[in-house]
């Protein structure tokens, strides 16, 4: 989603007393995921659709004319059509410290954030908590283009060791305002660290895995999910169209390609990576 | 500050609390995460049978260690077959056997050996046709060693792609003359998969390291005989010499190569590795194996496949029972068939075809068919009559001790199948309750690991005190003895008593009234609340003063041997073990090696003269069917008491 729509954009700290910002944001999204298992070969790949909702509230506090703190509370849930045990509920809290040195148009905003969340899945393996620490720099490049770059470290502690892990990520995002109401956006993210995939027991999967578990979310397919060291490139393109002063609809395509960093010591005809595409349509409202 | 900028601390507290609540609601048991072992972990203590890949007589030493499973045993072996360490690395061994050189025949195949050891195996065989030396080297692949197996195909896949992180071991067999010799025989090697250095031990089944060559030859037809006393020159014990070995070399254990029973192997559907694509290589390998089998006598007009075989002019070697298996697998003499097919049930098993097909062929044949000698080959089980002669041993080894089948993978497969019931049905059909395997209250056969009481064989005891022993009992840590009956079956027994009845070593005390009387003592062994079936032993109280086990020494046994055995077991005789023309120290090691201190009744020193699978049949004085005290088993009792006394020098 466009940063302007999601609130992920680090908001300029000055001037702080411009028009009041809405406190709440509500999202409802339909997603089609063509590889919900994150499988590498045809027999491992399953697609599915989900419906998710998310409600967040911001609390903003000015520290000084250049610095402010934004606290965000989020709650939400997600339900999947076929793989119901992927369904989850979550709550999240984020704190962000923003700094903007001047009110000049192109002055960048620097931010540091910390985020914790708790998730309860219908799958007993995945429930746990996540945390993230990171830094953001953002700036308007022109009156139509807004850019954001971030680095982050994320961790996940789940009931199963397979779903626990850590990763580091770097991300670049560009918003391009087509009109007053429509924004095109694109982002690219590089992530390195623990990743999970599901599949059948095979030498290729065993060789790269750190640990395995019989996945209760894919028990019908008798798949095991395994954790491995990987690098992931995520690309997103989307369009956000305003439906009114505080509402918008957002269409996006998210493509993730994950490749193990542990190479196989032999030639294999099993794909060395998995690719997942997500097509999302979301409605957002701020109030 | 405006309202929207207020810091609401309550929300910051509420959010994590909600998160924690959600996490707690995840529910369910802790998932069974699996972490693949890259290196086999130290084996966990086994609670059940754990004698896999050990000889049935592992040569228990006075300190309780098993001589056949010591580094000294392995060192003595390699000192004989490779005294100059010319083959102490894989590369040197391959070079010595001319692998990858021009000429000869060299073939490779990759298959799963999930019947015996569970490996994916990459096997290369070489036949140097100029001197008919043959060598096989095999890389064994095992994914996740020591833990959960991920299925047969995974290990096979690892072998196919040579995924060396899972290469557990490299084994080799070489069929060639020994140092300075001319007669070819099989020698067994294992090399470290990382360094290529020759190994003295190997962990073949994730149950811990076991010394070579024992871990190999126990299933390759080899004999496990005791080391000979320390050599004055080297200061080390020497590997034994088999008296009737055609090679007459100390490294000839009589081990053999196995036929490749293609039906028992598994294959991949990956291109190049299917069964069909590897049939030719496997046939070439089976030809090599056949070449390594001795040919009885002189071949007047050998078939093409037999021309490379070595004549056994003495007729004392193993008579190559497995040659028939290979030939029949390829359509008979001349090996006309391109592909291997499980041969028909042998004629000697025609009346028990189902037992052979369903139990013997999958669970016993592989090891047994390469055993035996020209003089005595009952143990090859090539006929039902031979197999049937071991009925009591089948019950003991399969259903009580649990060291048959001899490999863990095969043992587990056996007990997960219908084979135990079929074998039990055969034993029950013999009509002797003592042969029928025990069953639980529900009627199910008991898997070995259940307490088994073994008070030892019935015997003569002296007037006065005799210490009994439950040390041969299995899977038990508590024992209860009962003096069941006395003279002529009298109950309660008179003239004798039992003290320490709840110990492993109670004392049976016989008074003067007990002389020439028989007493029955019962032992129940238990592990926790699980109790064994009772086992009984008959004790005959003899007034003779010379039957104290502690008083019987080698001199007494030597007298018995002189009277009964050395006619054949001489330095010019034909049995594998000679008892003449040697000093007492060497005689002692050889005689003691014929006693089985882990299974006294199974000692060759008792069973052979008692007529079990013994060339000349039974020896006078060794009639084990007679009760203790009977003159017809005086020799048996003498040897028995010597063994029970620890085998005194």
């Amino acid at each position: 989603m466009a940063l302007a729509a999601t609130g992920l954009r680090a908001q300029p700290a000055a001037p702080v007393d411009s028009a009041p910002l809405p406190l709440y944001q509500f999202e409802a999204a339909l997603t089609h995921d063509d590889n919900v298992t994150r499988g590498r070969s045809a027999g491992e790949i399953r697609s599915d659709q989900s419906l998710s909702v998310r409600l967040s509230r911001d609390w903003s506090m000015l520290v000084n004319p250049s610095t402010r703190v934004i606290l965000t509370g989020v709650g939400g849930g997600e339900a999947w059509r076929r793989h119901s045990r992927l369904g989850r509920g979550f709550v999240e809290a984020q704190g962000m410290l923003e700094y903007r040195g001047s009110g000049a148009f192109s002055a960048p905003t620097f931010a540091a954030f910390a985020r914790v969340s708790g998730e309860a899945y219908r799958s007993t393996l995945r429930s746990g908590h996540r945390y993230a620490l990171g830094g953001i720099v953002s700036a308007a490049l022109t009156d139509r283009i807004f850019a954001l770059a971030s680095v982050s470290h994320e961790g996940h502690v789940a009931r199963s060791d397979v779903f626990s892990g850590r990763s580091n990520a770097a991300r670049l995002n560009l918003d391009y305002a087509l009109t007053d109401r429509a924004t095109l956006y694109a982002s690219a993210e590089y992530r390195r660290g623990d990743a999970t995939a599901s599949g059948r027991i095979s030498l290729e999967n065993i060789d790269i895995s750190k640990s395995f578990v019989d996945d209760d979310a894919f028990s019908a397919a008798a798949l095991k999910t395994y954790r491995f060291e990987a690098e992931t490139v995520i690309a997103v393109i989307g369009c956000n169209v305003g439906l009114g002063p505080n509402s918008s609809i957002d269409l996006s395509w998210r493509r993730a390609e994950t490749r193990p960093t542990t190479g196989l010591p032999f030639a294999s005809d099993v794909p060395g990576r998995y690719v997942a595409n997500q097509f999302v349509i979301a409605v957002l409202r701020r109030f | 500050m405006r309202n929207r900028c207020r810091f609401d601390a309550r929300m910051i507290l509420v959010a994590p609390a909600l998160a924690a609540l959600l996490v707690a609601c995840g529910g369910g048991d802790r998932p069974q995460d699996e972490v693949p072992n890259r290196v086999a972990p130290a084996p966990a203590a086994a609670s059940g049978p754990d004698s896999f890949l050990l000889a049935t007589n592992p040569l228990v030493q006075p300190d309780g260690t098993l001589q056949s499973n010591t580094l000294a045993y392995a060192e003595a072996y390699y000192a004989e077959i490779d005294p100059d360490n010319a083959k102490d690395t894989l590369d040197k061994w391959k070079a010595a056997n001319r692998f990858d050189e021009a000429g000869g025949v060299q073939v490779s195949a990759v298959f799963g050996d999930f019947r015996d050891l569970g490996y994916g195996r990459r096997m290369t065989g070489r036949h140097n046709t100029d001197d008919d030396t043959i060598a096989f080297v095999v890389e064994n692949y095992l994914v996740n060693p020591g833990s959960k197996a991920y299925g047969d195909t995974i290990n096979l896949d690892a072998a196919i792609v040579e995924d060396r992180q899972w290469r557990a071991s490299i084994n080799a067999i070489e069929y060639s003359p020994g140092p300075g010799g001319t007669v070819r025989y099989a020698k067994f090697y294992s090399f470290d998969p990382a360094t290529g250095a020759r190994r003295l031990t190997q962990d073949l089944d994730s149950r811990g390291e076991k010394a070579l060559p024992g871990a190999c030859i126990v299933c390759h037809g080899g004999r496990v005989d005791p080391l000979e006393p320390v050599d004055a020159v080297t200061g080390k014990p020497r590997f034994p010499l088999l008296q009737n070995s055609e090679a007459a070399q100390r490294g000839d254990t009589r081990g053999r190569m196995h036929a490749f029973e293609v039906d028992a192997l598994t294959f991949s559907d990956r291109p190049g590795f299917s069964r069909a694509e590897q049939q030719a290589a496997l046939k070439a390998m089976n030809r090599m194996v056949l070449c390594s089998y001795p040919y009885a006598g002189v071949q007047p007009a050998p078939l093409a496949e037999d021309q490379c075989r070595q004549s056994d002019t003495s007729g004392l070697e193993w008579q190559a029972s497995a040659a028939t298996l290979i030939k029949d697998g390829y359509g008979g003499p001349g090996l006309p068939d391109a592909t291997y097919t499980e041969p028909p049930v042998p004629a000697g098993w025609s009346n028990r075809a189902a037992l052979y097909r369903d139990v013997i062929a999958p669970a016993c044949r592989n090891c047994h068919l390469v055993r035996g000698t020209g003089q005595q080959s009952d143990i090859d089980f090539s006929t039902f009559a031979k197999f049937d002669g071991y009925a009591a041993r089948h019950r003991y080894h399969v259903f009580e001790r649990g060291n048959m089948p001899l490999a863990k993978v095969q043992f587990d497969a056996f007990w997960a199948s219908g084979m135990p019931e079929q074998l039990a049905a055969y034993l029950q059909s013999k009509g002797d309750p003592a042969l029928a395997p025990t069953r639980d209250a529900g009627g199910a056969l008991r898997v070995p690991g259940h307490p088994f009481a073994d008070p030892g064989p019935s015997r003569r005891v002296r007037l006065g005190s005799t210490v009994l022993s439950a040390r041969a009992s299995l899977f038990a840590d508590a024992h209860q003895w009962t003096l069941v009956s006395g003279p002529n079956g009298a109950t309660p027994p008179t003239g004798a008593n039992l003290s320490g009845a709840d110990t492993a070593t109670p004392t049976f005390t016989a008074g003067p009234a007990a002389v020439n009387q028989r007493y029955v003592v019962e032992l129940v062994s238990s592990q926790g609340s699980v109790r064994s079936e009772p086992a009984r032993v008959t004790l005959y109280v003899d007034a003779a003063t010379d039957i104290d086990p502690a008083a019987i020494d080698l001199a007494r046994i030597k007298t018995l041997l002189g009277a009964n055995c050395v006619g054949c077991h001489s330095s010019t005789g034909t049995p594998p073990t000679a008892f003449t023309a040697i000093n007492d120290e060497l005689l002692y090691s050889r005689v003691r090696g014929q006693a089985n201190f882990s299974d006294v009744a199974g000692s060759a020193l008792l069973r052979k003269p008692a007529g079990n699978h013994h060339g000349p049949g039974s020896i006078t004085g060794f009639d084990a069917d007679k009760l203790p005290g009977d003159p017809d088993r005086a020799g048996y009792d003498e040897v028995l008491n010597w063994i029970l006394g620890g085998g005194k020098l």
Side-chain angles (χ1 to χ4, degrees):
Chain A
M1 287 168 206
L3 297 173
T6 62
L8 283 178
R9 170 191 293 180
Q11 300 290 339
V16 296
D17 54 350
S18 56
L21 292 174
L23 296 177
Y24 293 93
Q25 176 169 299
F26 173 78
E27 294 173 28
L30 279 172
T31 301
H32 171 80
D33 189 321
D34 70 357
N35 186 2
V36 72
T37 48
R38 307 297 183 251
R40 294 199 290 171
S41 55
E44 299 173 344
I45 294 173
R46 302 286 186 279
S47 64
D48 205 350
Q49 296 80 42
S50 74
L51 170 64
S52 61
V53 293
R54 171 189 169 101
L55 177 65
S56 63
R57 187 195 195 283
D58 289 339
W59 291 266
S60 182
M61 182 171 66
L62 188 65
V63 177
N64 61 45
S66 300
T67 308
R68 71 174 174 180
V69 171
I70 301 174
L71 301 175
T72 305
V74 186
E78 186 174 26
W80 291 81
R81 193 164 71 88
R82 295 194 193 96
H83 303 95
S84 61
R85 295 179 76 90
L86 290 176
R88 64 177 183 137
F90 68 93
V91 293
E92 179 181 299
Q94 174 177 288
M96 183 183 291
L97 177 66
E98 287 185 348
Y99 170 80
R100 192 180 190 207
S102 79
F105 177 78
S106 60
T109 300
F110 299 93
F113 67 89
R115 183 170 62 237
V116 294
S117 62
E119 301 173 297
Y121 281 84
R122 293 192 65 192
S123 158
T124 58
L125 310 174
R126 292 166 167 79
S127 297
H129 65 271
R130 294 176 187 268
Y131 64 89
L133 302 168
I136 300 172
V137 57
S138 59
L141 302 182
T142 71
D143 59 347
R144 288 179 178 273
I145 300 174
F146 183 83
L148 177 148
S150 68
V151 293
S152 62
H153 170 79
E154 298 181 13
H156 185 195
V157 178
R159 292 178 65 84
S160 165
D161 176 66
V162 171
F163 291 98
S164 302
R166 290 181 292 185
S167 63
N168 297 305
R171 180 182 171 203
L172 178 64
N173 191 99
L174 292 174
D175 280 8
Y176 179 77
L178 289 172
T179 67
D180 287 348
R181 294 176 53 189
T183 302
L184 284 178
Y185 59 91
S187 74
E189 178 177 324
Y190 175 80
R191 181 176 294 275
R192 191 176 181 97
D194 290 306
T196 61
S198 301
R200 305 197 184 284
I201 282 289
S202 69
L203 189 61
E204 286 82 356
N205 290 346
I206 293 169
D207 271 13
I208 63 170
S209 72
K210 292 179 176 177
S211 56
F212 275 96
V213 72
D214 288 319
D215 197 332
D216 55 358
F218 306 121
S219 54
L223 296 182
K224 285 179 180 284
T225 294
Y226 54 97
R227 178 163 61 91
F228 59 104
E229 195 74 24
E231 56 183 13
T232 300
V233 176
I234 301 169
V236 182
I237 58 171
C239 178
N240 185 274
V241 178
L243 302 176
N246 289 316
S247 300
S248 65
I249 186 167
D250 195 283
L251 302 170
S252 65
W253 170 29
R254 182 176 190 269
R255 185 178 193 276
E257 179 177 322
T258 296
R259 186 183 302 273
T261 53
T262 307
L264 292 175
F266 56 88
S268 171
D269 54 5
V270 173
R273 62 197 172 109
Y274 71 69
V275 176
N277 290 286
Q278 290 180 330
F279 303 93
V280 183
I281 178 169
V283 175
L284 302 91
R285 178 165 179 79
R286 306 183 106 183
F287 52 95
Chain B
M1 186 172 288
R2 290 192 304 241
N3 190 42
R4 63 183 168 87
C5 296
R6 280 185 197 142
F7 179 80
D8 189 342
R10 287 173 300 178
M11 289 305 295
I12 301 305
L13 295 174
V14 168
L18 280 172
L21 182 62
L22 283 169
V23 171
C25 290
D29 296 329
R30 185 81 188 162
Q32 295 297 308
D33 294 325
E34 305 164 28
V35 179
N37 297 324
R38 259 64 186 184
V39 177
S47 58
D50 195 27
S51 298
F52 304 110
L53 302 176
L54 290 172
T56 49
N57 180 1
L59 306 175
V60 180
Q61 303 187 108
D63 64 0
T65 58
L66 310 180
Q67 189 191 72
S68 65
N69 196 28
T70 59
L71 289 177
Y73 202 82
E75 287 169 348
Y77 177 69
Y78 291 111
E80 297 296 342
I81 65 170
D82 185 25
D84 299 326
N85 288 323
K87 301 169 186 172
D88 61 357
T89 69
L90 177 61
D91 288 343
K92 288 160 76 174
W93 180 88
K94 281 185 169 179
N97 287 285
R98 293 186 272 165
F99 274 81
D100 303 325
E101 288 185 12
V105 178
Q106 185 168 324
V107 290
S108 295
V110 183
F111 51 82
D113 171 22
F114 303 116
R115 185 183 68 176
D116 298 324
L117 293 172
Y119 293 135
R121 311 192 93 171
R122 175 172 281 270
M123 180 86 66
T124 301
R126 180 170 178 86
H127 179 189
N128 296 307
T129 48
D130 54 350
D131 61 3
D132 285 330
T133 57
I134 292 162
F136 282 90
V137 61
V138 61
E139 297 179 1
N140 298 313
Y141 290 82
L142 185 64
V143 177
N144 196 24
S147 191
K148 183 178 179 179
Y150 289 131
D152 294 351
T153 59
I154 300 298
N155 293 341
L156 178 53
D157 284 347
I160 288 172
V161 302
E162 299 183 69
D163 189 350
R164 295 194 170 179
Q165 67 177 308
W166 305 116
R167 193 170 64 174
S169 57
I170 300 174
N171 296 340
I173 305 179
E174 170 189 334
Y175 177 72
S176 65
T182 58
V183 176
R184 287 162 279 151
Y185 62 93
K187 307 165 196 69
F188 297 80
Y189 294 83
S190 177
F191 297 99
D192 187 297
T195 67
R198 189 173 66 207
R199 303 186 59 182
L200 298 176
T201 64
Q202 185 176 357
D203 182 1
L204 283 164
D205 58 2
S206 303
R207 284 291 181 113
E209 297 285 326
K210 291 192 170 65
L212 295 163
C216 297
I217 65 174
V218 288
C219 186
H220 274 271
R223 287 176 58 98
V224 174
D225 286 283
L227 294 176
E228 296 190 349
V230 171
D231 181 74
V233 176
T234 64
K236 293 183 176 180
R238 293 199 73 182
F239 204 74
L241 173 66
L242 297 182
Q243 173 78 15
N244 57 1
S245 155
E246 187 90 358
Q249 292 212 335
R250 290 177 179 273
D252 183 5
T253 63
R254 282 230 164 85
R256 306 292 173 193
M257 296 180 184
H258 287 305
F260 292 93
E261 297 178 39
V262 183
D263 286 349
L265 308 178
T266 56
F267 298 90
S268 174
D269 54 6
R270 295 193 185 214
F273 298 97
S274 69
R275 175 172 174 162
E277 290 167 295
Q278 299 190 99
Q279 285 280 19
L282 288 161
K283 184 173 181 181
M285 287 184 177
N286 268 325
R287 280 183 178 276
M288 294 180 194
V289 173
L290 184 60
C291 279
S292 75
Y293 289 170
Y295 195 103
V298 177
Q299 306 176 60
L303 296 168
E305 72 268 21
D306 296 325
Q307 288 174 3
C308 53
R309 295 172 66 184
Q310 190 168 242
S311 287
D312 167 26
T313 52
S314 69
L316 299 176
E317 290 287 346
W318 170 68
Q319 297 300 289
S321 320
T324 306
L325 180 71
I326 294 175
K327 291 199 172 198
D328 290 351
Y330 289 101
L335 311 178
D337 296 348
T339 60
Y340 181 93
T341 306
E342 171 67 22
V345 173
W349 278 92
S350 56
N351 293 334
R352 293 282 188 161
L355 182 64
Y356 179 84
R357 187 181 57 244
D358 300 339
V359 180
I360 307 305
C364 313
R365 186 176 67 189
N366 194 39
C367 297
H368 278 272
L369 203 54
V370 289
R371 300 194 71 81
T373 68
Q375 292 175 302
Q376 231 307 317
S377 60
D378 287 359
I379 201 167
D380 69 11
F381 295 175
S382 58
T383 68
F384 174 71
K386 290 179 175 180
F387 173 81
D388 193 43
Y390 287 91
R393 305 305 294 168
H394 299 328
R395 182 189 190 277
Y396 177 73
H397 287 297
V398 175
F399 293 99
E400 304 296 357
R401 192 173 190 88
N403 60 346
M404 294 287 163
L406 193 55
K408 180 73 168 63
V409 168
Q410 200 166 48
F411 175 89
D412 290 341
F414 176 86
W415 282 100
S417 72
M419 288 190 263
E421 279 294 352
Q422 260 184 288
L423 191 58
Y426 143 69
L427 289 170
Q428 287 160 197
S429 73
K430 296 184 70 65
D432 180 352
L435 294 177
T438 59
R439 294 175 181 274
D440 63 20
L445 286 168
R446 286 193 171 122
V447 179
H450 186 86
F452 172 70
D454 185 354
S458 294
R459 76 202 69 153
R460 278 200 311 166
V461 297
R462 62 176 180 164
L463 183 63
S465 297
T466 298
V467 176
L468 306 178
S469 175
R471 282 178 301 185
S473 293
L474 301 169
F475 318 119
D477 57 12
H479 310 278
Q480 184 62 54
W481 298 78
T482 308
L483 187 52
V484 176
S485 64
N488 301 314
T491 54
T494 58
N497 63 69
L498 198 62
S499 60
D502 59 352
T503 69
T505 52
T507 299
F508 173 81
T509 304
V515 171
N516 297 332
Q517 302 297 331
R518 292 189 176 91
Y519 291 80
V520 174
V521 176
E522 183 175 277
L523 169 65
V524 173
S525 298
S526 55
Q527 177 76 259
S529 60
V530 183
R531 293 158 57 90
S532 71
E533 297 291 322
R536 292 185 173 188
V537 58
T538 298
L539 307 176
Y540 175 76
V541 181
D542 197 319
T545 58
D546 61 350
I547 58 173
D548 178 4
I552 303 174
D553 59 12
L554 179 68
R556 300 246 307 253
I557 301 305
K558 191 175 178 181
T559 301
L560 263 178
L561 295 173
N564 298 291
C565 307
V566 298
C568 297
H569 288 271
S570 71
S571 58
T572 57
T574 55
T577 306
F579 296 134
T580 63
I582 51 177
N583 61 36
D584 279 358
E585 193 181 11
L586 178 52
L587 175 66
Y588 177 68
S589 75
R590 287 187 181 174
V591 175
R592 197 176 189 282
Q594 301 305 311
N596 189 342
F597 292 91
S598 64
D599 169 20
V600 172
S603 298
L605 208 53
L606 292 171
R607 283 182 54 79
K608 291 286 185 177
N612 296 291
H613 323 291
H614 189 219
S618 59
I619 302 298
T620 301
F622 283 84
D623 187 347
D625 291 334
K626 296 286 171 56
L627 285 171
D630 191 304
D632 286 347
R633 61 169 276 169
Y636 186 96
D637 283 334
E638 177 86 340
V639 173
L640 173 60
N641 275 326
W642 178 69
I643 296 172
L644 291 172
K648 190 178 175 187
L649 178 59

